[in-house]
Amino acid sequence: LARALRDRGFAVYLWEHRGDASAVPPVGAGSFCVDDIDTRDLPAAIDAVVAHSGYDRVLAVNQGLAAQSLLVGLALGGEDRVAAAVLVAPAVRFAAPRSATRLAQLVALTLPASWTLPTRRVQQLLTPWVAEGADVASPGTPGDLARGRLRHGGADLSGGVAKQVARWIAEGSLTDRTGRVDIVAALPSLPAMVVTGDDDPACPPGAADPLVRRLGAQHLDLGPGWGHLDPLLASNADSAVFEPLGRFLDAHRSRCL
């Protein structure tokens, strides 16, 4: 995707917040949650991109938890320098089985925010058992790319982030850390494209619909056979996803000036 956007003439930047393996968190940052990332790290990242690129605003492309995080930042932080956004698999409503909901409630209540869950290492250890994309809920992704994503693309999960995500699952909607602010209802107006696939367990059909309605977003519904990583890594993602995504961003270039 980065290469496809570069080939269309975009300056492409990769945002790594304090939860990413290669990022350097602020001195004495301590534990953090999604709200902290999006009210502190997001504005700092946009500051850096604006200063380096010379443009006043940015175009955002975010997938999964990063898409949800961007929404939290837009709703809570008052960030007005995002000219338009592409949101891939941005679940905002959650309908988990009762057993999963109870577990999520337990995690939200009892997991220490200061803990770090070694999810990056766990993904690396699972790599040899991944033969094809379907093994990681991404049937359209070639096996070598799925293994590469597990080995090199993971990050450890902060206890504070895990607690906030668990709250979303337990309460059924995307909220701030307190559970009092419904993020979708608090969003400002924003040109957006929402990309979903029917076989994505992290964003099943209907999970992003309230977001599409709230923003009046263009909805690229990829249908059956598209899982969580497929919009970025599937063999036919270039034509099915990157091309319409690029046209959407092209249409909003002028908003960055």
Side-chain angles (χ1 to χ4, degrees):
L1 175 57
R3 285 194 295 268
L5 292 176
R6 181 198 61 195
D7 291 345
R8 297 184 83 103
F10 290 100
V12 181
Y13 298 82
L14 176 63
W15 175 37
E16 293 204 351
H17 54 70
R18 70 186 72 193
D20 292 317
S22 301
V24 179
V27 175
S31 61
F32 59 92
C33 65
V34 177
D35 291 11
D36 294 319
I37 292 170
D38 299 313
T39 58
R40 300 180 184 181
D41 297 358
L42 176 62
I46 294 178
D47 285 344
V49 171
V50 165
H52 186 267
S53 69
Y55 290 95
D56 294 331
R57 307 176 80 198
V58 302
L59 298 166
V61 181
N62 297 63
Q63 188 252 6
L65 180 59
Q68 295 164 323
S69 296
L70 178 64
L71 295 173
V72 173
L74 293 171
L76 299 183
E79 181 57 69
D80 61 358
R81 293 174 296 170
V82 177
V86 175
L87 304 160
V88 183
V92 296
R93 294 293 183 264
F94 308 90
R98 183 171 297 179
S99 58
T101 300
R102 286 198 297 267
L103 177 60
Q105 290 172 332
L106 183 63
V107 170
L109 288 172
T110 63
L111 181 69
S114 58
W115 282 16
T116 298
L117 306 181
T119 47
R120 184 169 186 261
R121 185 58 177 156
V122 169
Q123 290 182 34
Q124 291 173 337
L125 291 173
L126 291 174
T127 300
W129 284 271
V130 175
E132 56 187 16
D135 294 333
V136 289
S138 305
T141 298
D144 57 341
L145 290 181
R147 289 190 294 274
R149 167 60 179 81
L150 285 181
R151 185 158 187 81
H152 303 292
D156 290 337
L157 188 61
S158 155
V161 171
K163 285 171 70 70
Q164 189 163 352
V165 172
R167 179 186 285 276
W168 298 344
I169 296 170
E171 298 185 356
S173 62
L174 194 70
T175 65
D176 72 332
R177 80 176 85 194
T178 69
R180 299 189 184 99
V181 178
D182 185 299
I183 296 302
V184 172
L187 283 172
S189 297
L190 177 76
M193 169 184 274
V194 172
V195 182
T196 60
D198 285 0
D199 293 334
D200 183 351
C203 185
D209 287 356
L211 176 63
V212 173
R213 292 193 296 268
R214 172 69 180 84
L215 295 178
Q218 180 177 334
H219 187 190
L220 178 58
D221 183 355
L222 298 169
W226 288 82
H228 191 62
L229 299 178
D230 293 336
L232 302 181
L233 299 179
S235 301
N236 58 336
D238 195 1
S239 58
V241 181
F242 300 172
E243 181 58 30
L245 185 158
R247 290 197 301 268
F248 172 82
L249 294 177
D250 280 338
H252 297 285
R253 283 180 189 259
S254 60
R255 292 176 53 85
C256 294
L257 300 175

